[in-house]
């Protein structure tokens, strides 16, 4: 599975978005250690707050299906943006929790923009489990 293929999966996942409020569709494709792809889309809610982003949907699905935190190989995210899509702060925090720091993150747009980054580069100085335990917590 190369990065272009994973991006194509993210584009396919976009079509599953439930977005009656923003009409802004986002797709994510998370590659697991067995080479299988887990799709995520954004799922909105009339109360707005319960909305789940595509990235978190993909990660939560894979974890619920039995995949272990830190075992994933890559994630691709796609949206209809000017420039590569930029994951929100909440998703960056969840990426740090569930994916390895050096895991590749591919960010695309329907216009063909593309950047490759990593989980740790997306959230410098993240609060992690290490911070909790450094104080005896
Ligand atoms: O990286 C992103 C950015 C935004 N959204 C969703 C949340 C909401 O449904 C809509 C507008 O913010 O896009 C994602 O799923 N992922
Ligand atoms: Zn998000």
């Amino acid at each position: 599975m190369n990065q272009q293929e994973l991006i194509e999966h993210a584009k396919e996942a976009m079509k599953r978005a439930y977005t009656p409020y923003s009409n802004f569709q986002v797709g994510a494709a998370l590659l697991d250690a067995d080479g299988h792809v887990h799709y995520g889309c954004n799922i909105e809610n009339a109360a707005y707050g319960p909305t789940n982003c595509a990235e978190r949907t993909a990660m939560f699905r894979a974890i619920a299906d039995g995949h272990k935190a830190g075992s994933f190989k890559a994630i691709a995210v796609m949206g209809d943006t000017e420039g590569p899509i930029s994951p929100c702060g909440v998703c960056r925090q969840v990426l740090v929790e569930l994916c390895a720091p050096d895991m590749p993150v591919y960010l695309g747009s329907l216009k063909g923009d593309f950047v490759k980054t990593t989980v740790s580069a997306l959230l410098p100085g993240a609060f992690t489990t290490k911070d909790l335990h450094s104080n005896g917590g």
Side-chain angles (χ1 to χ4, degrees), residues 23 75 87 93 118:
N23 196 34
I75 190 169
Q93 182 71 28
T118 64

Side-chain angles (χ1 to χ4, degrees), residues 52-56 87-92:
N52 212 58
C53 292
E55 301 92 317
R56 278 177 290 140
C88 83
V90 172
C91 288
R92 291 174 193 228

Side-chain angles (χ1 to χ4, degrees), residues 6-19:
L6 202 59
I7 277 280
E8 287 301 320
H9 280 297
K11 201 186 281 186
E12 198 59 32
M14 239 180 119
K15 296 179 188 163
R16 303 181 182 182
Y18 173 75
T19 57

Side-chain angles (χ1 to χ4, degrees), residues 17-28 40-45 48 51-57 77-79 81 85-89 91-92 107:
Y18 173 75
T19 57
Y21 308 104
S22 73
N23 196 34
F24 181 75
Q25 290 82 33
V26 183
C41 59
N42 51 333
I43 303 169
E44 298 185 342
N45 190 283
Y48 296 177
T51 292
N52 212 58
C53 292
E55 301 92 317
R56 278 177 290 140
T57 302
V77 191
M78 172 64 73
T81 40
I85 191 159
S86 181
C88 83
C91 288
R92 291 174 193 228
L107 303 173

